[in-house]
Amino acid sequence: MQNSKSIQITWLQFVLLIHGTQVGVGFLTLPRELARVAGTDGWISIIFGWVLSVVASLFIIHAMKRQPEATLFDLFNHYFGKWVGKTASVIFLFYLIGGSLAIIFSIVSILRIWLMPKTPNFMLILLLAVPTYMIVHHGIKMIGRYAELIFYFSLWIIILLAFPVNHSRWLYLLPFIKEGWMPILSATRLTILSYLGFEISFILYPFLMNKKKAVSAVIVANTLTMLFYLLTTLVCFSYFSSLEILQYTWPTLSLLKVIRVQFLDRWDVIFLAMYMVVISVTWIVYMSLAVFGVKQLIPKSKLSITTVVILLITLVLSLVLDLSHTQVTQMTRTMSDIGIVIAYVLPLCLWGYVKLFEGIRRNHGGDSS
């Protein structure tokens, strides 16, 4: 097992790592997707998604606290044996790498559409690779500090969202539950995708200084994300009508065009350039945990070399595939579907298996005595 005593993160870093990983590209697209399925009642689905993400997070914590110094990779080996455990670890490792690549390609695709349409994917990813390497190869402790820094940096987003409120028409939200509960429940699936990121607790839990506060940490992290999504969605729904919002692929960016100052124009472009830093937490955390996973599976591997290899793979894929925005969207959806299994199904199954495993061992020990 990894020696977690030498690598520890604070309660706040644990919270902000989860929150920072959750708040990604979904912030830009979620209002439109919710309006497409549930109309202006989609904001209710955000609350339902929050409940499900909190429940799944609690299952993770309860499964992990049986072996408090072990990561998910250790648990796989402990409960399922060497070969099954290694196989499960490799699958989870590929999920982390795939999630990181999906976010990188998504933000590059958006940057090309809004800012630099003639710049090839390879050049943009190369620019992102340098700062990514500088953070990732330092390990988990560094990404904890990075997530904390970026959280304080991102507070300006709330101030920007306050500008369109003056032009909002809150009557767009009425009446509530106008189409019944089924569209709201259908849209909940979209929201649980936007909450993906709390599954990193599988790996971060052993490094939390005070594990007794793990439950409060995951609740606070998911609640921060819920409030962030709720605020953004309500502002979008009150500014755009239920039909108008469907005309925008990224309504959050279009929303910021309302901001006008004499010395500066196109706030949406400035916002996107700065928000890229916020999204970076998502791919950096996933990649860092993937590098850590490789270290667990191959103890002799070095963090710096593994980081370089993953970044080189990303660069090569950007050259070979040259993905369009539609293909990137499909890639993201595929990883999101896998993420539902990893984040919502695996915790329940693992918790149930751990309870069953320990119950059988306890009974067997009692019979032997």
Side-chain angles (χ1 to χ4, degrees), residues 37-38 45 177 179-188:
V37 178
S45 302
I177 318 178
E179 299 295 335
W181 287 103
M182 286 307 299
I184 296 173
L185 295 176
S186 299
T188 300

Side-chain angles (χ1 to χ4, degrees), residues 19-33 99-111 113-114 128 157 190-191 193-196 225 228-229 232-233 249-253 271-272 275-283 286 325 328-329 331-333 336:
H19 169 65
T21 306
Q22 290 176 319
V23 178
V25 180
F27 166 74
L28 304 176
T29 60
L30 184 61
R32 178 184 182 275
E33 294 301 314
S100 178
L101 296 184
I103 296 299
I104 291 176
F105 280 115
S106 294
I107 190 60
V108 165
S109 177
I110 297 173
L111 286 174
I113 293 173
W114 280 78
L128 297 177
I157 296 176
L190 299 173
T191 64
L193 295 178
S194 296
Y195 283 107
L196 287 177
T225 304
F228 188 68
Y229 284 146
T232 305
T233 302
T249 304
W250 302 286
T252 309
L253 291 177
F271 170 85
L272 180 59
Y275 187 68
M276 183 180 65
V277 180
V278 179
I279 297 180
S280 69
V281 176
T282 306
W283 83 67
Y286 276 131
H325 178 69
V328 171
T329 301
M331 175 184 179
T332 304
R333 287 176 179 171
S336 296

Side-chain angles (χ1 to χ4, degrees), residues 138-328:
H138 284 293
I140 291 175
K141 200 167 186 177
M142 177 60 73
I143 64 170
R145 295 170 179 171
Y146 181 71
E148 189 173 357
L149 174 66
I150 297 303
F151 173 77
Y152 297 126
F153 171 80
S154 64
L155 293 177
W156 57 269
I157 296 176
I158 299 176
I159 299 175
L160 285 184
L161 290 175
F163 283 91
V165 171
N166 295 327
H167 304 273
S168 297
R169 299 175 178 85
W170 295 98
L171 290 177
Y172 284 157
L173 300 176
L174 300 176
F176 296 140
I177 318 178
K178 59 181 71 66
E179 299 295 335
W181 287 103
M182 286 307 299
I184 296 173
L185 295 176
S186 299
T188 300
R189 182 183 183 277
L190 299 173
T191 64
I192 65 175
L193 295 178
S194 296
Y195 283 107
L196 287 177
F198 63 84
E199 70 276 11
I200 65 174
S201 304
F202 275 128
I203 300 178
L204 295 181
Y205 178 80
F207 306 106
L208 180 62
M209 287 183 181
N210 189 349
K211 295 178 177 58
K212 293 181 180 179
K213 294 184 177 180
V215 170
S216 64
V218 294
I219 293 175
V220 171
N222 283 286
T223 302
L224 280 175
T225 304
M226 182 267 289
L227 294 175
F228 188 68
Y229 284 146
L230 197 59
L231 173 64
T232 305
T233 302
L234 286 174
V235 172
C236 286
F237 283 178
S238 62
Y239 184 82
F240 301 109
S241 67
S242 58
L243 296 178
E244 184 184 5
I245 195 173
L246 299 179
Q247 300 174 10
Y248 302 100
T249 304
W250 302 286
T252 309
L253 291 177
S254 301
L255 184 72
L256 297 176
K257 290 182 178 180
V258 71
I259 302 176
R260 291 285 187 270
V261 292
Q262 293 181 351
F263 60 90
L264 195 59
D265 199 10
R266 291 304 303 272
W267 269 98
D268 53 322
V269 173
I270 297 171
F271 170 85
L272 180 59
M274 299 179 70
Y275 187 68
M276 183 180 65
V277 180
V278 179
I279 297 180
S280 69
V281 176
T282 306
W283 83 67
I284 284 175
V285 170
Y286 276 131
M287 187 175 295
S288 180
L289 297 184
V291 170
F292 171 80
V294 172
K295 180 69 175 178
Q296 289 244 291
L297 295 176
I298 310 174
K300 293 184 179 181
S301 63
K302 295 183 178 180
L303 298 181
S304 57
I305 295 177
T306 305
T307 304
V308 170
V309 170
I310 295 178
L311 290 173
L312 285 176
I313 292 174
T314 308
L315 289 170
V316 170
L317 289 177
S318 68
L319 280 173
V320 174
L321 299 180
D322 193 23
L323 298 175
S324 64
H325 178 69
T326 302
Q327 292 171 320
V328 171

